[in-house]
Amino acid sequence: MAFETTASGKWTRAGIAAIALGALGVPAIGALAMPAEEAAATASADAPLTEEQKAESKALFSQFACGSCHALAEAGGTGHIGPEFDGNEGLDKAYIVNIVNNGQGAMPSFGGMIDEAQIDQLATYIVQVKK
Ligand code: HEC
């Protein structure tokens, strides 16, 4: 499917997006299910997490008590010590990964406590589920 071509023999945008995601090792299932336009637009972002990945990240969010300081309805977080995630336009993945790793002010650092790949997935989760 990633190798489908147009009648003129050019790569389709969905095909290119799938290859780009594949090169990054990101599962491209979600991207392939999307219309070409949308897939192209999100080629530089992460593919939507699977239900299993969401459940893992939600469990981490509880385990490390993120929700005691941050509001994120999807994960049951209701804290107000730190900024709310729901309605927070300023959050992107790289920013979250950095803060979780290094902390900032009253925000504790979780680097070394949470596996790097898990922090990555947790950041993706927050970006994808915040309302
Ligand atoms: C003890 C309370 C506390 C816990 C637990 C906590 N945080 Fe924070 N967090 C804060 C505070 C306070 C800030 C604001 C820091 C600042 O800028 O001074 C913050 C900031 C952040 C930010 C930046 C938000 C923004 O809008 O700038 C992110 C992202 C974040 N925390 C993610 C997490 C995640 C993910 C966890 C769980 C792994 C977590 N935090 C656990 C208190 C906490």
Side-chain angles (χ1 to χ4, degrees):
M1 191 183 296
F3 303 104
E4 68 198 354
T5 54
T6 60
S8 64
K10 293 233 162 81
W11 295 100
T12 62
R13 294 169 72 184
I16 291 166
I19 290 164
L21 288 169
L24 293 169
V26 177
I29 316 253
L32 288 175
M34 283 189 271
E37 298 260 316
E38 225 179 300
T42 53
S44 61
D46 290 284
L49 295 181
T50 63
E51 289 306 314
E52 196 188 342
Q53 288 172 321
K54 281 193 203 168
E56 280 168 17
S57 294
K58 190 170 175 171
L60 266 186
F61 196 89
S62 304
Q63 188 187 338
F64 290 95
C66 312
S68 65
C69 294
H70 296 285
L72 183 67
E74 208 280 336
T78 54
H80 290 288
I81 294 168
E84 296 189 13
F85 295 155
D86 288 321
N88 192 329
E89 298 296 330
L91 292 180
D92 68 25
K93 183 177 161 181
Y95 178 67
I96 300 173
V97 167
N98 179 48
I99 287 210
V100 172
N101 268 310
N102 302 315
Q104 180 171 297
M107 163 78 193
S109 142
F110 292 89
M113 291 171 69
I114 312 179
D115 185 85
E116 223 173 284
Q118 286 181 311
I119 291 179
D120 202 78
Q121 186 173 299
L122 179 59
T124 304
Y125 168 79
I126 292 169
V127 170
Q128 290 184 6
V129 305
K130 77 185 171 69
K131 302 215 157 63

